[in-house]
Amino acid sequence: HLIHYLRLSHHLIVLNYLIFTFDLYQLESISSEDIKVTDAVFDGVEVRVFEPTARGDESLKRGVVYIHGGGWALASARTSLYINLCRIMADSLNAVVVSIEYRLIPKACFPEQYHDALRATKHFLQPDVLAEYSVDPSRIAISGDSAGGNLAAAVCQQLSKEEDLTIRPKLQALIYPVLQAFDFNTPSYQQNRNMPVLPRHVMINYWLYYFNGNHDLAHALLINNHTALDVGQALSFRGRLNWTSLLPPSFKKGYKPVVQTTGTAEIIQKMPALLDVRAVPLLADNETLQLQPKTYVLTCENDVLRDDGAMYAKRLENAGVDVTLDHFHNCFHGCMIFTLWPTDFSAAFQTRSSYIKWLDENL
């Protein structure tokens, strides 16, 4: 297993550099006059809480549960890139931001990350906990980027189905989320298959790490053998991920579906999580989607996951949910967190500003 992990060594080294070395440039203390930052444990899950200081009124604050990205394997609520994002969110929105420190691969695999995110979120949604942090129970959002967007969507779906839950998120905001492992040949996967930061083969390997699967299956996944027409377990899900009907023409760009007639059913048998909606929220049924709160989905043109977000937005819209699809033509996967030198990209400020603006107007 270690040998397969090292196959991504170059990619992991680069991302680790981008994500972790920014602590060298975080010169100020974590807490400040404007934002109090504390670490806590919510139902056994570590979190970092960002609280705005009093601003002359006693009104309750808004709340945001944030789940960081990194392919379920990288990053942390305690790294400068995410500290910076959560501080700015807390300050701009006058909101208490709870950043979840879920366990990472290889220490934990699916469904442990999902369970961590769900437990921490449900703990925060308890009336006494919200009162402790002076948060308005009617003004809470759940959000995340990339793999964190995956966890946010899955948690939001589960919360919507729990009848005894008295407090639910008002909004969900998903930043270039990874939402499906059914089709690795959507137009965005084909168009951006070799795009830096997140090429297609790397995303497939992240899925395999997440599911603790055999990496010898990577090529079979790449050509969609796991969801071929003769794979009975996948048939009932096919209509929920038909990009030919869910994507706008500007996204399709003449690409053709890759549907194998004969595939490898054993892949699903070995990794049933490939069709588990807790891991792949885009495969949820319409009854679940109808229960979702008002939703924001940010997508980037230069991203293999562009179509995951666009298809989810369309399925939610078809289910009657109020959805905003915020698409950025010149941006790339992961860009929103890169606002610190030496990678303070204009794409980061552009996407972050749009995201926070939507939250401010709707939360």
Side-chain angles (χ1 to χ4, degrees):
H1 187 79
L2 178 60
I3 292 174
H4 289 300
Y5 196 83
L6 290 175
R7 288 178 180 176
L8 288 182
S9 60
H10 176 71
H11 176 77
L12 294 172
I13 288 170
V14 171
L15 286 186
N16 270 294
Y17 171 79
L18 291 174
I19 291 171
F20 291 108
T21 58
F22 289 95
D23 288 315
L24 296 173
Y25 307 105
Q26 189 77 12
L27 300 180
E28 61 182 339
S29 63
I30 296 175
S31 290
S32 67
E33 292 183 1
D34 299 321
I35 305 294
K36 175 186 176 184
V37 182
T38 56
D39 290 326
V41 177
F42 284 4
D43 192 16
V45 181
E46 296 180 7
V47 299
R48 176 156 280 189
V49 184
F50 300 77
E51 299 176 77
T53 53
R55 299 184 179 182
D57 60 54
E58 300 301 324
S59 60
L60 294 176
K61 298 179 177 63
R62 296 182 274 196
V64 179
V65 174
Y66 196 84
I67 311 176
H68 71 79
W72 308 284
L74 298 172
S76 166
R78 296 186 175 95
T79 56
S80 291
L81 291 172
Y82 284 106
I83 290 172
N84 185 57
L85 173 62
C86 291
R87 284 172 57 86
I88 289 173
M89 290 170 59
D91 184 55
S92 301
L93 300 170
N94 191 30
V96 174
V97 178
V98 175
S99 186
I100 299 177
E101 185 79 332
Y102 58 90
R103 288 169 292 168
L104 301 176
I105 299 165
K107 180 180 179 181
C109 296
F110 176 81
E112 298 309 320
Q113 287 87 344
Y114 164 79
H115 287 317
D116 286 354
L118 181 62
R119 287 202 309 273
T121 302
K122 290 178 70 174
H123 180 89
F124 183 59
L125 292 177
Q126 294 178 103
D128 58 333
V129 177
L130 294 176
E132 177 186 349
Y133 289 103
S134 300
V135 171
D136 186 341
S138 67
R139 303 180 75 187
I140 299 169
I142 182 166
S143 184
D145 64 294
S146 193
N150 168 282
L151 294 170
V155 167
C156 208
Q157 288 183 7
Q158 179 60 32
L159 294 176
S160 72
K161 293 184 286 188
E162 297 199 7
E163 296 181 358
D164 60 343
L165 200 66
T166 59
I167 299 172
R168 304 177 190 277
K170 178 183 180 182
L171 309 172
Q172 67 174 334
L174 312 177
I175 313 303
Y176 31 75
V178 49
L179 298 171
Q180 60 89 25
F182 191 95
D183 184 356
F184 291 106
N185 289 275
T186 62
S188 62
Y189 264 114
Q190 295 187 56
Q191 172 185 311
N192 300 298
R193 61 187 180 276
N194 295 317
M195 186 63 63
V197 179
L198 189 64
R200 178 169 58 176
H201 75 276
V202 168
M203 189 64 246
I204 290 173
N205 276 285
Y206 275 138
W207 278 114
L208 288 167
Y209 291 134
Y210 190 35
F211 296 152
N212 196 25
N214 186 335
H215 289 256
D216 292 339
L217 298 174
H219 180 70
L221 294 177
L222 186 148
I223 61 175
N224 290 343
N225 267 358
H226 61 304
T227 53
L229 295 177
D230 68 338
V231 178
Q233 303 99 311
L235 284 178
S236 62
F237 294 99
R238 186 167 297 282
R240 301 178 191 178
L241 205 153
N242 180 7
W243 62 257
T244 63
S245 63
L246 292 172
L247 294 179
S250 60
F251 282 21
K252 297 177 189 177
K253 300 179 182 177
Y255 288 104
K256 304 299 181 184
V258 175
V259 181
Q260 304 294 347
T261 302
T262 303
T264 310
E266 291 79 9
I267 298 175
I268 300 296
Q269 294 169 6
K270 293 176 180 177
M271 290 189 294
L274 284 164
L275 300 178
D276 189 326
V277 294
R278 297 174 302 169
V280 285
L282 187 52
L283 296 185
D285 57 37
N286 289 332
E287 290 74 19
T288 299
L289 296 185
Q290 290 171 0
L291 300 174
Q292 299 316 295
K294 190 173 186 177
T295 299
Y296 172 90
V297 181
L298 187 151
T299 56
C300 296
E301 182 66 21
N302 304 307
D303 182 4
V304 293
L305 302 179
R306 179 198 68 191
D307 296 345
D308 284 26
M311 286 189 289
Y312 196 52
K314 186 61 177 178
R315 286 202 66 208
L316 287 170
E317 180 184 284
N318 290 344
V321 177
D322 187 347
V323 181
T324 296
L325 177 61
D326 199 7
H327 182 61
F328 290 84
H329 293 278
N330 298 316
C331 295
F332 56 93
H333 185 81
C335 64
M336 195 178 79
I337 61 173
F338 293 115
T339 57
L340 298 176
W341 185 88
T343 55
D344 44 345
F345 301 129
S346 61
F349 294 98
Q350 183 183 4
T351 50
R352 189 183 70 185
S353 174
S354 188
Y355 161 67
I356 291 178
K357 181 175 184 289
W358 185 89
L359 283 174
D360 191 35
E361 292 173 350
N362 291 279
L363 186 56

